[in-house]
Each structure stands twice: as structure tokens, then as C-alpha cells.
Amino acid sequence: MNKVNISEKLNLIDSYWNPHIVGELNGQQVKLVKIKGEFVWHHHADVDEMFLVITGRLILRMRDRDMILYPGEFFVMPKGVEHLPIAEEEVHMMLFEPTGTLNTGNVRNELTVENPLRT
């Protein structure tokens, strides 16, 4: 077991929308990701996921409202809620979600990461 330095791990990520696994606990994965631009509308039918912003400003668009997150803030997206993550400028964030959760949820496209890297 080793400690994890979030800044060091983020420095190893060189692409957007490509989550990297940095830890696991109790059936959950801790992932780091850099994002910029719009993702894809999607939902996760059976799992909640937590978005924790480290740097930047994240917009989580939902069908009925927008949630804006700043560094040090997090939001738990309830299972089944369709959402669209947007980063007008580069955002670094941490995700907590059950092992095996597909980043694009119910959608499969060019942004889908089947097997996230372990960093």
C-alpha cells in the first residue's frame, strides 16, 4: 500500500475524458480525469457516481437544471439521472464509482473507455 499524490497522478494524464484508476475500496474505484469541452448525454441506470472538482469549473447539465461545481466541491449524481458534463476550460476531477462503471453509462461511442488505465 502506498500513498497517492493527486497532483503527481494528474501529471501522468495527457488526454481528456480518459479516466485513470488511482485507488479502490469496498467495490468502488477512485478515478482521476482531465476534461475539456462537452461530454455526452448519458445516465447510469444502477449506480450513483460522485464528481469532486480539483481544479476548474464543472457544469453538470441535467434535463431540469445545471449544477456548477468549483474546486473543493462535489456532487453525487443519483443513478438514472441523465446528465452532460461540460468544462469550458480544463477541469481536473476525481470520480468515485462502483468498479466496472462505464464512463459513458448507457451510451457507447468514441468517448467510451472500456478498460480505464491504472495510474
Side-chain angles (χ1 to χ4, degrees):
M1 299 185 325
N2 294 309
K3 67 180 179 179
V4 175
N5 183 295
I6 294 170
S7 294
E8 287 176 6
K9 295 294 186 180
L10 281 165
N11 284 336
L12 299 173
I13 300 173
D14 60 2
S15 60
Y16 296 127
W17 305 110
N18 187 10
H20 289 237
I21 300 166
V22 295
E24 295 189 60
L25 66 155
N26 302 318
Q28 299 280 317
Q29 290 181 325
V30 180
K31 298 176 183 175
L32 291 174
V33 64
K34 292 180 180 179
I35 65 171
K36 188 173 181 184
E38 284 193 12
F39 195 50
V40 59
W41 279 104
H42 69 285
H43 71 273
H44 302 274
D46 300 317
V47 299
D48 301 324
E49 60 181 336
M50 186 180 119
F51 296 83
L52 169 64
V53 174
I54 298 166
T55 64
R57 176 179 175 264
L58 173 66
I59 302 167
L60 287 173
R61 182 151 292 152
M62 293 166 269
R63 295 297 183 182
D64 63 343
R65 66 184 171 134
D66 288 353
M67 177 67 59
I68 299 175
L69 300 177
Y70 296 94
E73 296 181 331
F74 72 86
F75 180 75
V76 176
M77 185 64 65
K79 61 185 169 191
V81 174
E82 194 173 25
H83 56 284
L84 171 70
I86 301 169
E88 294 167 340
E89 301 294 330
E90 184 172 280
V91 171
H92 298 174
M93 66 180 174
M94 182 180 285
L95 304 170
F96 292 90
E97 50 196 18
T99 299
T101 300
L102 199 60
N103 67 323
T104 53
N106 64 315
V107 174
R108 289 186 185 269
N109 65 15
E110 67 280 355
L111 295 173
T112 302
V113 178
E114 297 281 345
N115 298 300
L117 297 173
R118 293 182 184 276
T119 300

